[in-house]
């Protein structure tokens, strides 16, 4: 970056300096030329006055650094203050002479033998039809360039020096907040920032926090999983040991075997739930969306849970109106199942569960309501966390792993649905999930 800025700076400076110098040289050489021509014009006017007053013969007496030539109307040289007119060729074709013969005045600039000098010509027509021509050599634009070259080089060197210095200073200051930010990703409040970098830094910071959080969550999850696995495994190992040592006799053996089977089942559910969660977690997992009538799904789930509801002496009531959403059918079943399962499991004898499915404007609402034990406010915000159980013993006694609502939350998030909990301790709970409805279906 530093290098890039520096190179860029140098390019700009060199281009700007050269352009300025060239422009200055062009302008000054133009001004110089006009001045030369102007002064020649004055001298020519003066000489014309002298010649026309009959003083041509006195021309030689006037020392001049200007070459003076008089050319007659045919183009032959009549007089020259530096060379022998007899030896000079015809000047009829010289542009300034042609112009002077036609219009009264003419001028021209031609290269001299030396590249760095030009010859300026100025011609005036005299009253007798001949032409008075002045010629003067002067430096041209090249010589101005040549003379300015060391100055330009010096200036460029100076500017490049300044450039290198300021570019390094600039990049230093540009990069400093970024470096500081990288060093203090946890707390960037004190770091000087530019508004341009704000979105970038906010994003980086957010990602950083997310990474930390997910690392924390992973550690916590692993600890929880190990802990959850330990209990049933300890019990399996314990009962197996009793049987192994011959400490169990007769019907005890079958009771212990039953306990072992229960624990093994618990392990299976736990592992299934964990696998399910990690599937839902993975970003690669694709939703197989299709139009799903939530009322149908609710009816099917109610049918599946009828037995366990009867066992708990809980009645299930369905209150559904057909409403179609675009969703993964399997996941919808899972979601409603988990909610109903809870509503039955955390209910009271003789209690009831109501599964309500209905459209509301552009939304589809699934609401599972129970007359069960309810959840106190402080627990309500946690029930969607993994392994969170309000009453550990009750949940465990009913085979709960504390992952059901975590799965519900994941499924809802994958379908852009929102969840609302309304519960009162001792009176019951109502959890409703709101989906976007497929209006055209
Ligand atoms: P799992 O569903 O994985 O078998 P779980 O039912 O214990 O286990 P979640 O469904 O995630 O786990 O529920 C978390 C906790 O929230 C439950 O342990 C329970 O304490 C509480 N809870 C959930 N639904 C209700 C409800 N309808 N009434 C009262 N408490 C509930
Ligand atoms: Mg549950």
């Amino acid at each position: 970056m530093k290098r890039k800025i520096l190179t860029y700076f140098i390019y700009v400076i060199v281009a700007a300096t050269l352009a300025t110098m060239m422009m200055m040289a062009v302008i000054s050489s133009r001004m110089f030329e006009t001045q030369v021509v102007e002064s020649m014009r004055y001298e020519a006017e003066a000489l014309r006055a002298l010649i026309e007053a009959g003083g041509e013969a006195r021309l030689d007496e006037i020392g001049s650094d200007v070459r003076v030539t008089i050319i007659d109307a045919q183009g032959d040289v009549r007089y020259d203050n530096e060379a022998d007119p007899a030896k000079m060729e015809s000047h009829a074709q010289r542009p300034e002479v042609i112009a002077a013969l036609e219009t009264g005045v003419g001028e021209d600039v031609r290269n001299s033998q030396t590249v760095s000098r030009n010859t300026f010509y100025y011609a005036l027509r005299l009253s007798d039809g001949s032409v008075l021509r002045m010629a003067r050599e002067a430096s041209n634009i090249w010589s101005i360039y040549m003379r300015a070259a060391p100055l330009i080089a010096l200036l460029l060197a100076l500017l490049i020096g300044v450039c290198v210095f300021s570019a390094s200073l600039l990049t230093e200051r540009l990069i400093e907040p970024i470096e500081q930010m990288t060093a203090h990703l946890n707390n960037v409040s004190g770091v000087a920032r530019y508004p341009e970098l704000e979105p970038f830094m906010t994003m980086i910071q957010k990602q950083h926090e997310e990474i930390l959080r997910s690392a924390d969550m992973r550690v916590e999850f692993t600890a929880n999983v190990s802990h959850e696995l330990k209990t049933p495994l300890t019990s399996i190992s314990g009962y197996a040991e009793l049987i192994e040592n011959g400490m169990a006799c007769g019907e005890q053996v079958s009771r212990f075997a039953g306990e072992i089977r229960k624990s093994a089942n618990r392990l299976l559910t736990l592992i299934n739930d964990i696998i399910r969660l990690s599937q839902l977690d993975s970003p690669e997992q694709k939703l197989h969306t299709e139009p799903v009538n939530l009322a149908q799904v609710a009816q099917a789930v109610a049918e599946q849970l009828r037995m366990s509801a009867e066992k708990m002496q809980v009645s299930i009531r369905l209150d559904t109106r057909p409403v179609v959403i675009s969703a993964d059918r399997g996941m919808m079943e899972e979601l409603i199942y988990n909610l109903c399962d809870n509503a039955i499991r955390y209910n009271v004898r003789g209690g009831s569960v109501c599964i309500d499915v209905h459209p509301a404007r552009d939304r589809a609402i699934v609401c599972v309501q129970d007359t069960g034990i309810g959840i106190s406010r402080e627990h309500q915000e946690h029930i969607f966390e993994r392994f969170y159980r309000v009453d550990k013993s009750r949940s465990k006694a009913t085979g709960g792993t504390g992952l059901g609502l975590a799965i519900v939350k994941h499924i809802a998030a994958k379908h852009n649905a929102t969840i609302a909990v309304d519960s009162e301790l001792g009176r019951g709970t109502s959890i409703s999930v709101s989906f976007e409805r497929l209006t055209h279906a």
Side-chain angles (χ1 to χ4, degrees):
M1 177 152 164
K2 218 169 181 167
R3 235 198 143 101
K4 230 176 174 171
I5 292 182
L6 186 64
T7 342
Y8 183 73
F9 256 47
I10 290 177
Y11 278 147
V12 171
I13 292 267
V14 169
T17 316
L18 286 181
T20 316
M21 295 280 179
M22 269 181 207
M23 243 152 65
M24 298 271 285
V26 168
I27 290 170
S28 57
S29 93
R30 279 283 134 73
M31 276 167 60
F32 177 67
E33 276 173 21
T34 15
Q35 243 176 20
V36 169
V37 173
E38 198 69 359
S39 72
M40 279 164 70
R41 189 163 68 84
Y42 281 122
E43 287 181 27
E45 303 271 5
L47 282 182
R48 174 165 68 180
L50 178 75
I51 293 163
E52 287 184 349
E56 187 171 333
R58 287 172 54 207
L59 274 177
D60 279 335
E61 294 166 25
I62 304 164
S64 173
D65 56 342
V66 185
R67 184 167 181 184
V68 179
T69 316
I70 298 175
I71 302 126
D72 66 20
Q74 282 69 49
D76 295 328
V77 177
R78 186 168 86 207
Y79 169 82
D80 191 282
N81 66 345
E82 284 179 13
D84 181 5
K87 288 184 184 151
M88 288 170 73
E89 58 186 54
S90 167
H91 275 39
Q93 292 312 311
R94 304 287 159 99
E96 71 279 5
V97 177
I98 296 172
L101 282 172
E102 269 173 22
T103 65
V105 287
E107 51 185 81
D108 194 25
V109 185
R110 289 196 285 278
N111 284 339
S112 302
Q113 274 90 345
T114 45
V115 193
S116 66
R117 294 179 79 76
N118 279 346
T119 310
F120 292 79
Y121 298 95
Y122 189 84
L124 265 183
R125 190 174 58 201
L126 301 174
S127 52
D128 66 352
S130 57
V131 171
L132 166 69
R133 191 195 71 172
M134 326 273 293
R136 168 181 270 162
E137 267 200 351
S139 325
N140 65 7
I141 192 164
W142 284 114
S143 68
I144 297 178
Y145 281 153
M146 288 306 142
R147 247 177 289 158
L151 190 73
I152 295 179
L154 189 78
L155 209 66
L156 271 180
L158 214 77
L159 282 173
I160 287 173
V162 171
C163 218
V164 171
F165 178 71
S166 48
S168 65
L169 211 72
L170 189 75
T171 38
E172 207 76 48
R173 289 185 53 179
L174 266 173
I175 291 175
E176 198 200 327
I178 302 176
E179 281 177 342
Q180 271 190 21
M181 160 115 187
T182 320
H184 306 100
L185 256 184
N186 293 322
N187 180 23
V188 289
S189 49
V191 178
R193 301 163 153 212
Y194 327 103
E196 292 89 339
L197 268 182
E198 199 80 26
F200 172 70
M201 290 195 167
T202 317
M203 199 185 75
I204 295 272
Q205 203 186 348
K206 224 194 238 157
Q207 280 182 352
H208 177 69
E209 282 168 7
E210 240 157 56
I211 290 169
L212 288 183
R213 206 176 316 124
S214 86
D216 278 355
M217 269 169 64
R218 205 160 297 153
V219 170
E220 195 188 316
F221 185 67
T222 315
N224 278 331
V225 169
S226 328
H227 182 78
E228 294 294 328
L229 291 174
K230 225 157 128 186
T231 325
L233 280 174
T234 313
S235 120
I236 288 174
S237 151
Y239 285 118
E241 198 181 335
L242 286 177
I243 296 171
E244 188 185 24
N245 293 345
M247 312 251 298
C249 53
E251 64 189 57
Q252 261 182 333
V253 174
S254 69
R255 193 167 68 80
F256 291 172
E259 291 296 335
I260 289 174
R261 193 179 51 81
K262 238 195 251 167
S263 291
N265 278 342
R266 190 171 158 65
L267 280 177
L268 276 177
T269 357
L270 190 67
I271 286 164
N272 277 333
D273 280 354
I274 291 169
I275 290 172
R276 191 72 194 113
L277 261 181
S278 78
Q279 279 173 348
L280 287 169
D281 247 350
S282 110
E284 282 116 64
Q285 209 228 355
K286 289 241 160 51
L287 287 184
H288 301 286
T289 52
E290 55 183 318
V292 175
N293 184 349
L294 289 177
Q296 269 175 12
V297 178
Q299 281 154 21
V301 169
E303 215 40 62
Q304 281 176 49
L305 282 167
R306 187 122 356 238
M307 283 276 282
S308 59
E310 270 167 22
K311 240 203 267 176
M312 296 282 296
Q313 296 177 10
V314 170
S315 63
I316 300 184
R317 196 160 54 84
L318 273 165
D319 183 0
T320 59
R321 279 164 41 207
V323 55
V324 179
I325 66 167
S326 167
D328 185 311
R329 185 182 295 273
M331 287 191 194
M332 287 305 106
E333 235 175 73
E334 227 174 323
L335 181 140
I336 299 177
Y337 184 97
N338 275 316
L339 292 178
C340 291
D341 178 51
N342 284 348
I344 294 166
R345 221 189 293 174
Y346 307 107
N347 217 316
V348 291
R349 272 174 196 279
S352 70
V353 173
C354 175
I355 312 172
D356 180 0
V357 178
H358 64 269
R361 286 170 189 264
D362 58 339
R363 312 293 293 177
I365 314 288
V366 177
C367 180
V368 179
Q369 219 167 344
D370 66 63
T371 57
I373 58 172
I375 310 159
S376 67
R377 193 153 286 277
E378 80 237 51
H379 289 300
Q380 277 176 28
E381 51 186 304
H382 297 296
I383 53 173
F384 293 95
E385 292 168 11
R386 296 167 180 196
F387 297 114
Y388 193 87
R389 283 162 299 202
V390 175
D391 179 353
K392 299 244 157 34
S393 53
R394 177 171 182 136
S395 170
K396 250 184 211 167
T398 56
T401 57
L403 291 174
L405 287 180
I407 292 172
V408 166
K409 186 176 144 188
H410 261 80
I411 294 175
K414 278 200 182 278
H415 288 82
N416 295 320
T418 53
I419 305 176
V421 181
D422 182 20
S423 181
E424 200 183 321
L425 208 58
R427 297 197 66 121
T429 305
S430 139
I431 298 183
S432 63
V433 189
S434 161
F435 296 90
E436 194 179 331
R437 198 174 133 203
L438 258 191
T439 38
H440 57 81

